[in-house]
Amino acid sequence: MTVELQFLRFGASTPVGRSWVSTCAAVRAGLSRLTEHPFMFDAKGRPVIGAWATYLAPTLTHEQRLRALAEPALRELLRGVEIDDHTAVGLVLSVPPPRPGLPDDLTTTLIDVVAQGCLHAVPEFTDIRTVAIGNAGGLSALAVAEEIMRDGEVELCLVGGIDSWFDPVALEWLDQQGRLHGPQGPWGVLPGEAAAFALLGTTGLAQQLRAPVLASVAGLGLGQEAITIGRQEVCLGRGLTDAWRAALGPLSSDEQVTDIYLDRNAEPYRADEHGFSLVRCRDDFVDPSRFWTPVNAWGDAGAATGLLLAQLAVAAGLRGYARGPLAFVSTSSDTGQRAAAVLQLPT
């Protein structure tokens, strides 16, 4: 059984917008929320620079902050959605990987947050899965959703990603590795935070829910990079290339991707792997030198990154400023997981 994943609804909450529409508009306009952390300083006493949701109180605990990001994004996604009681709905959630500063029971907490936020639309999820690998998690969650929908376990699937680097312990951990962006490391990470959600279904369910199909997933690819960040060897992007080739494989010989969205940051490691992958796959792109990397807008959004990039691509198609009908999204995790997707945009 084959299944074509289709995006029916989106929701998001980011430093530059409190909805997916406003977030995409802000990125398109070149807006940025990069600013000093309200109370966190690096080892040399300089304020940590990142993209923070300044509409949230800095006194919130980490769990409260993630909840405050997730709840409005879920409300946006589910507004006006009426799901039949007999429809089997799955949940695949991209969550932060283990790192200093995260509670041990964070994944359980986030599942509860989503379940409570969906209670009026989805009384109970038929199947719940989590992916805890960071940046590549959102697109990897799409692959999990495709699998459980193909197997007939669910008819609809809610895919989400929630993450925040606001916590001082996590920022101190990045600083100890010399990875924070700033005067001490101009090529480092710009930490951020966000929540992003997508409702996936098929054409038949879209008609049943009276929801327009926003975009379709034309290809998905996963890969594993052996040379992870921090090692002495140069990363040649072989794991990323594997993911790209798998995602681009379903395209016909006369199709090329016009719009490219990467989670590339200022770290040389990331520039290396993207550079090598773009060269290897250059024939699949109209212009491999032109790509979007919105890290200056929302920072490193971690587990929410893949879905946010997908929302940017779809917004470009809906608003008419995409360069063509095919968009490409790519994400990389620190622990080596790579994920990519080709999206068929609305015309």
Side-chain angles (χ1 to χ4, degrees), residues 86-135:
H86 302 293
T87 302
V89 184
L91 170 64
V92 186
L93 193 59
S94 172
V95 300
R99 65 177 184 239
L102 293 184
D104 293 336
D105 61 347
L106 180 62
T107 297
T108 301
T109 299
L110 293 180
I111 291 174
D112 290 342
V113 167
V114 174
Q116 292 170 17
C118 296
L119 194 58
H120 68 284
V122 187
E124 184 176 1
F125 288 106
T126 305
D127 193 347
I128 298 177
R129 311 280 183 99
T130 58
V131 181
I133 58 175
N135 283 40

Side-chain angles (χ1 to χ4, degrees), residues 283-306:
D283 292 339
D284 292 301
F285 302 108
V286 172
D287 184 355
S289 67
R290 293 186 60 176
F291 54 83
W292 285 76
T293 176
V295 67
N296 285 336
W298 58 52
D300 186 323
T305 301

Side-chain angles (χ1 to χ4, degrees), residues 146-170:
E146 181 183 49
E147 177 186 347
I148 61 177
M149 292 180 71
R150 183 180 63 243
D151 293 343
E153 298 179 36
V154 300
E155 301 167 85
L156 277 176
C157 197
L158 175 63
V159 177
I162 314 169
D163 209 339
S164 173
W165 282 97
F166 191 84
D167 183 74
V169 178

